[in-house]
Amino acid sequence: NLFLITMLKINILFKKYAKQIVISVILMAIVAIFYFFDPSESSYFIKCPLKAVSGYDCPGCGVQRAVHELLHFRILEAFKYNALFVISLPFCVFILMVHFFGRETMKRTVKRFFTHRISVFLVLILFFVLLVLKNTDLYKEFLFNL
């Protein structure tokens, strides 16, 4: 009888939090894949379409390799693969923390800041500057001399 009551409670909790549980399981699986498989050596990972067509790196090139390196606590190597991604992680964590744990006024303030026209414009400028800069010898020399 106690077993049936426990199973009923678990079933109710699963129904209530099914979406969160599924997302958590998917995220854990993705983290496990990136931890155990190196995107530099495996052909299973998605390749950059811009690099495949043009031979040039996009600002997102190296993110998968950077994730693998970060999961192994090799921050400098991750930075070499994609500096923008590594630098942006604290901001992403902050946004997620505010989203899940922040008060409504803080959520509105953060949303207003990151969706403001100037913020979007600055991100687009940064994107295009990195698109050009990432394909220069100066950028590559700087990163690999760290």
Side-chain angles (χ1 to χ4, degrees), residues 23-78:
I23 290 171
S24 297
V25 168
I26 290 171
L27 285 175
M28 285 188 290
I30 290 170
V31 167
I33 289 168
F34 275 100
Y35 183 83
F36 291 111
F37 298 100
D38 186 354
S40 301
E41 299 172 3
S42 177
S43 62
Y44 297 113
F45 292 90
I46 298 169
K47 304 296 180 206
C48 176
L50 179 69
K51 185 159 183 134
V53 171
S54 69
Y56 292 111
D57 287 337
C58 76
C61 281
V63 168
Q64 295 178 108
R65 292 171 287 171
V67 168
H68 176 76
E69 296 299 334
L70 284 173
L71 290 173
H72 291 275
F73 300 104
R74 295 187 290 250
I75 297 169
L76 186 59
E77 292 300 314

Side-chain angles (χ1 to χ4, degrees), residues 72-96:
H72 291 275
F73 300 104
R74 295 187 290 250
I75 297 169
L76 186 59
E77 292 300 314
F79 189 83
K80 288 178 182 179
Y81 281 123
N82 195 307
L84 180 63
F85 174 72
V86 174
I87 291 169
S88 68
L89 276 179
F91 294 105
C92 294
V93 169
F94 171 73
I95 291 169
L96 286 173

Side-chain angles (χ1 to χ4, degrees), residues 73-132:
F73 300 104
R74 295 187 290 250
I75 297 169
L76 186 59
E77 292 300 314
F79 189 83
K80 288 178 182 179
Y81 281 123
N82 195 307
L84 180 63
F85 174 72
V86 174
I87 291 169
S88 68
L89 276 179
F91 294 105
C92 294
V93 169
F94 171 73
I95 291 169
L96 286 173
M97 295 294 286
V98 168
H99 177 73
F100 288 112
F101 304 110
R103 295 183 177 155
E104 285 303 315
T105 55
M106 187 165 201
K107 288 180 186 181
R108 282 194 303 272
T109 303
V110 169
K111 182 178 179 181
R112 205 175 313 122
F113 176 78
F114 284 104
T115 58
H116 193 274
R117 204 174 334 148
I118 294 173
S119 298
V120 173
F121 183 69
L122 289 174
V123 168
L124 286 173
I125 288 174
L126 182 64
F127 179 84
F128 285 112
V129 165
L130 277 173
L131 179 63
V132 173

